[in-house]
């Protein structure tokens, strides 16, 4: 499972709060390092989401292009006196 950007930023905020409230310096250092790691992961998640959105848009564009081509082909028939089989308008 890949974490979402929202979840990563929530974890980053949590780690920054832990660092701010920590009494011990090593706890502060570890929480600050963890916050930086979550920030980097959030950037990666943003890139991943953007790639996914672009991929989905490309699929939608291709589907629309195929539908347009199919609608243009639909008007041409080798047997103009007969309807199309899938519309239920077939004359016998």
């Amino acid at each position: 499972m890949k974490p979402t950007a929202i979840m990563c930023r929530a974890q980053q905020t949590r780690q920054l709060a832990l660092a701010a409230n920590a009494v011990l310096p090593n706890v502060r250092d570890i929480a600050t390092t963890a916050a930086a790691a979550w920030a980097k992961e959030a950037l990666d998640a943003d890139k991943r989401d953007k790639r996914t959105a672009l991929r989905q848009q490309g699929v939608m564009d291709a589907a629309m292009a195929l539908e347009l081509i199919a609608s243009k082909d639909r008007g041409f028939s080798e047997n103009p006196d007969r309807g199309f089989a899938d519309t239920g308008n077939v004359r016998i």
Side-chain angles (χ1 to χ4, degrees):
M1 179 179 131
K2 294 186 169 48
T4 63
I6 294 170
M7 196 270 300
C8 292
R9 288 196 176 88
Q11 288 295 324
Q12 178 188 9
T13 303
R14 180 180 171 276
Q15 292 296 330
L16 288 173
L18 283 173
N21 296 327
V23 176
L24 301 173
N26 63 335
V27 173
R28 221 179 355 260
D29 292 343
I30 292 170
T32 303
T33 303
W38 280 112
K40 183 177 182 287
E41 188 64 33
L43 292 176
D44 290 343
D46 284 335
K47 290 177 188 176
R48 189 171 47 246
D49 291 344
K50 192 178 288 187
R51 280 193 312 266
T52 302
L54 286 174
R55 219 176 283 132
Q56 288 175 346
Q57 183 61 39
V59 168
M60 292 298 294
D61 290 346
M64 288 175 58
L66 287 174
E67 187 176 319
L68 180 63
I69 291 169
S71 69
K72 287 182 180 179
D73 286 344
R74 189 70 172 161
F76 176 74
S77 174
E78 292 179 1
N79 298 316
D81 59 329
R82 296 185 184 255
F84 295 102
D86 60 349
T87 62
N89 296 332
V90 177
R91 286 183 249 150
I92 299 176

